[in-house]
Amino acid sequence: MKRIMAIVLAVAWCVIPVMGQSAGVPLAERASQFYARGEWASSLAAYRTLAHDNGTVAAYHVRAIVSALMEKNYSAARDETLAGIDCHVPIDTIFAGVFRESIAQGKCDMYERYISGMKVSDAWLARVVDRCLLKYYVFRNDPGRIVETATLLLESTPDNMLFLPALAYGQLLSGDLEGMAATSRRILELDSHNLDALLYLANYRYGQWRSGNAEAKAEALEYTSRAERRCKTPQLERMLAELQR
Protein backbone atom coordinates (compact mmCIF):
# COMPACT_ATOMS: atom_id res chain seq x y z
CA MET A 1 0.00 0.00 0.00
CA LYS A 2 2.80 2.42 0.88
CA ARG A 3 4.44 1.67 -2.45
CA ILE A 4 1.18 2.43 -4.33
CA MET A 5 0.73 5.70 -2.45
CA ALA A 6 4.30 6.71 -3.29
CA ILE A 7 3.64 6.10 -6.99
CA VAL A 8 0.41 8.11 -6.88
CA LEU A 9 2.16 11.03 -5.17
CA ALA A 10 5.00 10.92 -7.68
CA VAL A 11 2.54 11.08 -10.59
CA ALA A 12 0.64 13.92 -8.91
CA TRP A 13 3.81 15.95 -8.46
CA CYS A 14 4.58 15.47 -12.16
CA VAL A 15 1.09 16.52 -13.26
CA ILE A 16 0.69 19.58 -11.05
CA PRO A 17 3.41 21.70 -12.75
CA VAL A 18 1.96 20.93 -16.20
CA MET A 19 -1.55 21.89 -15.12
CA GLY A 20 -0.24 25.02 -13.46
CA GLN A 21 1.68 25.97 -16.56
CA SER A 22 -1.45 25.60 -18.74
CA ALA A 23 -3.60 27.56 -16.32
CA GLY A 24 -1.00 30.31 -16.21
CA VAL A 25 -1.05 30.94 -19.96
CA PRO A 26 -3.00 34.15 -20.67
CA LEU A 27 -6.34 33.59 -22.38
CA ALA A 28 -5.37 35.77 -25.35
CA GLU A 29 -2.33 33.58 -25.99
CA ARG A 30 -4.34 30.38 -25.70
CA ALA A 31 -6.99 31.82 -28.03
CA SER A 32 -4.31 32.65 -30.57
CA GLN A 33 -2.95 29.11 -30.35
CA PHE A 34 -6.41 27.59 -30.85
CA TYR A 35 -6.93 29.87 -33.85
CA ALA A 36 -3.56 29.06 -35.41
CA ARG A 37 -4.17 25.30 -35.03
CA GLY A 38 -7.66 25.52 -36.48
CA GLU A 39 -9.33 24.35 -33.26
CA TRP A 40 -12.34 26.45 -34.10
CA ALA A 41 -14.74 25.47 -31.29
CA SER A 42 -12.11 26.23 -28.65
CA SER A 43 -11.07 29.38 -30.52
CA LEU A 44 -14.69 30.58 -30.63
CA ALA A 45 -15.17 30.02 -26.91
CA ALA A 46 -11.89 31.77 -26.03
CA TYR A 47 -12.40 34.77 -28.29
CA ARG A 48 -16.00 35.14 -27.18
CA THR A 49 -14.79 35.42 -23.60
CA LEU A 50 -12.12 37.92 -24.60
CA ALA A 51 -14.65 39.96 -26.58
CA HIS A 52 -17.06 39.94 -23.65
CA ASP A 53 -14.34 41.18 -21.28
CA ASN A 54 -12.76 43.64 -23.75
CA GLY A 55 -15.73 44.76 -25.81
CA THR A 56 -14.05 47.56 -27.73
CA VAL A 57 -11.23 45.37 -29.12
CA ALA A 58 -12.39 44.70 -32.67
CA ALA A 59 -9.87 41.89 -33.27
CA TYR A 60 -11.49 39.69 -30.61
CA HIS A 61 -14.94 40.03 -32.17
CA VAL A 62 -13.51 39.41 -35.64
CA ARG A 63 -11.72 36.22 -34.65
CA ALA A 64 -14.74 34.96 -32.76
CA ILE A 65 -16.85 35.52 -35.90
CA VAL A 66 -14.32 33.81 -38.17
CA SER A 67 -14.04 30.87 -35.76
CA ALA A 68 -17.82 30.52 -35.83
CA LEU A 69 -17.87 30.73 -39.63
CA MET A 70 -15.19 28.05 -39.93
CA GLU A 71 -17.48 25.88 -37.80
CA LYS A 72 -20.38 26.85 -40.13
CA ASN A 73 -22.09 28.29 -37.06
CA TYR A 74 -23.69 31.29 -38.75
CA SER A 75 -25.97 31.97 -35.80
CA ALA A 76 -22.97 32.43 -33.51
CA ALA A 77 -21.29 34.63 -36.13
CA ARG A 78 -24.37 36.86 -36.25
CA ASP A 79 -24.60 37.02 -32.46
CA GLU A 80 -20.94 38.05 -32.18
CA THR A 81 -21.39 40.67 -34.89
CA LEU A 82 -24.28 42.24 -33.03
CA ALA A 83 -22.32 42.01 -29.77
CA GLY A 84 -19.52 43.97 -31.40
CA ILE A 85 -21.96 46.62 -32.60
CA ASP A 86 -23.40 46.83 -29.08
CA CYS A 87 -19.86 47.51 -27.84
CA HIS A 88 -19.59 50.41 -30.33
CA VAL A 89 -17.18 48.65 -32.67
CA PRO A 90 -17.90 50.10 -36.15
CA ILE A 91 -19.60 47.56 -38.41
CA ASP A 92 -17.27 48.52 -41.27
CA THR A 93 -14.33 47.58 -39.03
CA ILE A 94 -15.89 44.22 -38.21
CA PHE A 95 -16.68 43.41 -41.84
CA ALA A 96 -13.23 44.52 -43.02
CA GLY A 97 -11.56 42.36 -40.38
CA VAL A 98 -13.62 39.29 -41.29
CA PHE A 99 -12.77 39.91 -44.95
CA ARG A 100 -9.02 39.96 -44.23
CA GLU A 101 -9.17 36.88 -42.03
CA SER A 102 -11.31 35.00 -44.57
CA ILE A 103 -8.71 35.66 -47.26
CA ALA A 104 -5.97 34.51 -44.89
CA GLN A 105 -7.88 31.25 -44.38
CA GLY A 106 -8.38 30.86 -48.14
CA LYS A 107 -12.15 31.13 -47.66
CA CYS A 108 -13.11 34.48 -49.16
CA ASP A 109 -16.46 33.03 -50.37
CA MET A 110 -17.23 32.46 -46.68
CA TYR A 111 -17.13 36.22 -46.20
CA GLU A 112 -19.69 36.76 -48.97
CA ARG A 113 -22.07 34.23 -47.42
CA TYR A 114 -21.61 35.81 -44.00
CA ILE A 115 -22.39 39.41 -44.91
CA SER A 116 -25.15 38.38 -47.33
CA GLY A 117 -26.70 36.45 -44.46
CA MET A 118 -26.46 39.53 -42.23
CA LYS A 119 -28.37 41.50 -44.86
CA VAL A 120 -31.18 38.93 -44.75
CA SER A 121 -31.33 38.56 -40.95
CA ASP A 122 -30.79 42.25 -40.13
CA ALA A 123 -32.27 44.39 -42.90
CA TRP A 124 -31.15 47.62 -41.21
CA LEU A 125 -27.59 46.66 -42.22
CA ALA A 126 -28.53 46.30 -45.90
CA ARG A 127 -26.79 49.41 -47.21
CA VAL A 128 -23.59 48.75 -45.27
CA VAL A 129 -23.61 45.17 -46.53
CA ASP A 130 -24.18 46.28 -50.14
CA ARG A 131 -21.29 48.73 -49.86
CA CYS A 132 -19.00 45.99 -48.54
CA LEU A 133 -20.24 43.55 -51.17
CA LEU A 134 -19.38 46.07 -53.88
CA LYS A 135 -15.78 46.23 -52.62
CA TYR A 136 -15.71 42.44 -52.52
CA TYR A 137 -16.99 42.08 -56.08
CA VAL A 138 -14.43 44.61 -57.32
CA PHE A 139 -11.76 42.57 -55.53
CA ARG A 140 -13.05 39.45 -57.28
CA ASN A 141 -13.39 41.21 -60.66
CA ASP A 142 -16.99 40.00 -60.92
CA PRO A 143 -18.49 42.33 -63.58
CA GLY A 144 -22.12 41.26 -63.30
CA ARG A 145 -22.23 41.62 -59.52
CA ILE A 146 -20.27 44.90 -59.62
CA VAL A 147 -22.75 46.48 -62.03
CA GLU A 148 -25.77 45.09 -60.18
CA THR A 149 -24.62 46.23 -56.73
CA ALA A 150 -23.28 49.62 -57.85
CA THR A 151 -26.53 50.34 -59.70
CA LEU A 152 -28.53 49.46 -56.60
CA LEU A 153 -26.44 51.75 -54.40
CA LEU A 154 -26.60 54.61 -56.90
CA GLU A 155 -30.39 54.62 -56.82
CA SER A 156 -30.33 56.59 -53.57
CA THR A 157 -27.03 58.46 -54.12
CA PRO A 158 -26.66 58.92 -57.90
CA ASP A 159 -23.56 61.14 -57.65
CA ASN A 160 -21.61 58.99 -55.21
CA MET A 161 -17.94 59.05 -56.23
CA LEU A 162 -17.26 55.63 -54.72
CA PHE A 163 -20.04 53.82 -56.54
CA LEU A 164 -19.78 55.55 -59.95
CA PRO A 165 -16.13 54.51 -60.56
CA ALA A 166 -17.01 50.96 -59.50
CA LEU A 167 -19.89 50.96 -61.97
CA ALA A 168 -17.62 52.17 -64.78
CA TYR A 169 -15.10 49.45 -63.91
CA GLY A 170 -17.80 46.77 -63.92
CA GLN A 171 -19.12 47.99 -67.26
CA LEU A 172 -15.61 47.89 -68.70
CA LEU A 173 -15.08 44.32 -67.47
CA SER A 174 -18.43 43.22 -68.88
CA GLY A 175 -17.73 44.75 -72.30
CA ASP A 176 -20.41 47.42 -72.02
CA LEU A 177 -18.22 50.16 -73.46
CA GLU A 178 -21.10 52.50 -74.21
CA GLY A 179 -22.26 52.28 -70.62
CA MET A 180 -18.70 52.70 -69.36
CA ALA A 181 -18.27 55.83 -71.50
CA ALA A 182 -21.52 57.34 -70.23
CA THR A 183 -20.59 56.63 -66.61
CA SER A 184 -17.07 58.00 -67.11
CA ARG A 185 -18.45 61.24 -68.58
CA ARG A 186 -20.67 61.60 -65.53
CA ILE A 187 -17.66 61.07 -63.28
CA LEU A 188 -15.77 63.83 -65.10
CA GLU A 189 -18.71 66.19 -64.61
CA LEU A 190 -18.25 65.68 -60.88
CA ASP A 191 -14.45 65.45 -60.88
CA SER A 192 -12.79 66.76 -64.03
CA HIS A 193 -9.39 65.37 -62.95
CA ASN A 194 -10.46 61.78 -62.35
CA LEU A 195 -7.65 59.82 -63.98
CA ASP A 196 -9.42 56.49 -64.38
CA ALA A 197 -12.34 58.11 -66.20
CA LEU A 198 -9.94 60.03 -68.46
CA LEU A 199 -8.02 56.87 -69.26
CA TYR A 200 -11.18 54.89 -69.96
CA LEU A 201 -12.49 57.53 -72.36
CA ALA A 202 -9.11 58.15 -74.00
CA ASN A 203 -8.64 54.48 -74.81
CA TYR A 204 -12.28 54.01 -75.81
CA ARG A 205 -12.40 56.92 -78.25
CA TYR A 206 -8.87 56.23 -79.52
CA GLY A 207 -9.88 52.66 -80.28
CA GLN A 208 -12.96 53.87 -82.15
CA TRP A 209 -10.84 56.30 -84.16
CA ARG A 210 -8.34 53.56 -85.03
CA SER A 211 -11.27 51.42 -86.17
CA GLY A 212 -12.28 54.04 -88.73
CA ASN A 213 -14.61 56.37 -86.80
CA ALA A 214 -13.21 59.76 -87.78
CA GLU A 215 -15.66 61.58 -85.49
CA ALA A 216 -14.03 59.99 -82.47
CA LYS A 217 -10.67 61.71 -83.07
CA ALA A 218 -11.53 65.04 -81.42
CA GLU A 219 -12.67 63.42 -78.16
CA ALA A 220 -9.81 60.92 -78.27
CA LEU A 221 -7.36 63.81 -78.53
CA GLU A 222 -9.07 65.74 -75.74
CA TYR A 223 -9.18 62.87 -73.25
CA THR A 224 -5.71 61.60 -74.13
CA SER A 225 -4.24 65.10 -73.68
CA ARG A 226 -5.93 65.53 -70.31
CA ALA A 227 -4.86 62.07 -69.14
CA GLU A 228 -1.28 62.60 -70.36
CA ARG A 229 -1.00 65.84 -68.41
CA ARG A 230 -1.90 63.99 -65.24
CA CYS A 231 0.02 60.79 -65.85
CA LYS A 232 2.80 60.66 -68.42
CA THR A 233 3.26 57.15 -69.76
CA PRO A 234 4.86 55.85 -72.97
CA GLN A 235 1.48 54.57 -74.15
CA LEU A 236 -0.28 57.90 -73.67
CA GLU A 237 2.59 59.76 -75.31
CA ARG A 238 2.42 57.41 -78.29
CA MET A 239 -1.36 57.80 -78.57
CA LEU A 240 -1.09 61.58 -78.32
CA ALA A 241 1.62 61.81 -80.97
CA GLU A 242 -0.44 59.67 -83.32
CA LEU A 243 -3.60 61.75 -82.75
CA GLN A 244 -1.73 65.03 -83.32
CA ARG A 245 -0.38 64.08 -86.74
Side-chain angles (χ1 to χ4, degrees):
M1 179 63 70
K2 289 182 179 180
R3 185 177 179 182
I4 294 174
M5 289 297 296
I7 293 172
V8 170
L9 287 172
V11 170
W13 280 108
C14 289
V15 170
I16 288 172
V18 174
M19 292 177 61
Q21 182 180 6
S22 174
V25 176
L27 180 58
E29 185 177 335
R30 279 183 283 153
S32 181
Q33 291 170 355
F34 292 143
Y35 194 88
R37 292 195 296 259
E39 298 174 12
W40 302 118
S42 297
S43 177
L44 172 59
Y47 276 114
R48 264 188 155 172
T49 300
L50 287 167
H52 179 270
D53 295 340
N54 308 270
T56 60
V57 180
Y60 293 155
H61 294 285
V62 166
R63 287 206 161 186
I65 292 165
V66 172
S67 299
L69 293 173
M70 294 297 288
E71 284 275 287
K72 294 183 170 54
N73 188 343
Y74 292 96
S75 176
R78 173 183 179 269
D79 290 345
E80 195 55 46
T81 303
L82 297 179
I85 294 172
D86 288 343
C87 292
H88 307 292
V89 178
I91 187 62
D92 283 339
T93 301
I94 294 174
F95 283 168
V98 175
F99 177 54
R100 288 192 301 271
E101 293 288 338
S102 297
I103 292 174
Q105 295 297 328
K107 301 277 188 181
C108 59
D109 57 326
M110 178 178 76
Y111 168 77
E112 181 182 4
R113 288 196 299 273
Y114 156 63
I115 60 173
S116 296
M118 291 298 301
K119 180 179 177 179
V120 173
S121 62
D122 300 88
W124 59 280
L125 289 173
R127 189 162 180 82
V128 177
V129 170
D130 285 336
R131 191 171 69 239
C132 291
L133 281 172
L134 181 60
K135 292 179 183 178
Y136 172 76
Y137 295 139
V138 169
F139 168 78
R140 294 294 298 269
N141 290 322
D142 187 332
R145 295 290 183 87
I146 292 171
V147 171
E148 178 186 355
T149 309
T151 301
L152 176 65
L153 287 163
L154 286 164
E155 287 178 359
S156 56
T157 52
D159 294 336
N160 187 289
M161 285 298 287
L162 293 175
F163 309 147
L164 279 169
L167 176 60
Y169 179 63
Q171 290 167 326
L172 178 66
L173 290 180
S174 65
D176 179 13
L177 300 184
E178 291 284 344
M180 176 276 294
T183 303
S184 295
R185 289 190 180 97
R186 180 57 186 151
I187 291 170
L188 290 176
E189 289 175 5
L190 298 167
D191 175 12
S192 61
H193 301 297
N194 188 281
L195 182 57
D196 284 340
L198 289 170
L199 289 171
Y200 288 167
L201 286 167
N203 282 283
Y204 172 60
R205 296 300 272 169
Y206 172 80
Q208 288 184 319
W209 173 64
R210 287 295 302 272
S211 298
N213 183 351
E215 295 180 357
K217 183 175 182 178
E219 279 198 341
L221 180 57
E222 175 196 348
Y223 293 126
T224 303
S225 299
R226 290 167 63 182
E228 195 269 343
R229 285 196 296 269
R230 293 192 57 77
C231 179
K232 294 186 182 297
T233 67
Q235 181 183 357
L236 286 173
E237 290 175 356
R238 178 185 58 79
M239 290 167 56
L240 190 57
E242 190 175 345
L243 287 162
Q244 289 174 335
R245 286 177 191 160

